[in-house]
Amino acid sequence: MEEDYEFNDDSYTALAAAGVAWQDAVFVLRHSRPVVRRHIGAVLNVAGMDRQGRWLAVALIELDPDRDDQYTVAGARYLDDVEVASIMRMLKG
C-alpha cells in the first residue's frame, strides 16, 4: 500500500512558519531519493533533498492507528550542516 499524506490548515501554517514551501515537502515525500525515514509510534520523520538540493526533514503524524500508512503533515525544517554531515556518513555506510 502506498502512503497517503494529507495537508490541512495547520500543516500549511506550520510549513509557512518554518519558511518551507508545501511543494518542497511533497517533493521530499514523493520524489526525493535517497531519504532517511524514522517511524516511532504514530510519528514519521522523512528527510530528503528538496527541489533545490537542500536537506529537508518533514514530520508527519499517523491519522488513526487503524488506518496504516495515512499521515497528516505536522511540519518541516531544513537540516543544519552537522545533521547533513551525519546523514551523509550514514548513507555511505
Side-chain angles (χ1 to χ4, degrees):
M1 177 178 182
E2 186 173 311
E3 292 176 336
D4 181 36
Y5 308 113
E6 295 183 8
F7 289 78
N8 59 28
D9 289 342
D10 291 335
S11 304
Y12 295 113
T13 300
L15 292 173
V20 175
W22 66 266
Q23 296 93 332
D24 285 329
V26 170
F27 185 86
V28 167
L29 295 171
R30 293 282 182 210
H31 305 292
S32 186
R33 297 294 178 265
V35 294
V36 177
R37 296 170 51 94
R38 180 176 62 180
H39 197 271
I40 300 172
V43 177
L44 173 62
N45 289 297
V46 179
M49 285 189 265
D50 71 2
R51 298 173 297 165
Q52 291 77 37
R54 299 171 295 179
W55 278 91
L56 177 66
V58 181
L60 307 108
I61 300 173
E62 200 164 35
L63 291 170
D64 182 335
D66 297 327
R67 296 171 57 196
D68 284 343
D69 300 324
Q70 295 185 345
Y71 301 90
T72 188
V73 174
R77 69 178 183 84
Y78 286 100
L79 302 182
D80 64 29
D81 292 340
V82 173
E83 293 169 312
V84 170
S86 179
I87 286 175
M88 298 311 290
R89 282 192 307 271
M90 182 175 54
L91 292 175
K92 289 180 183 177

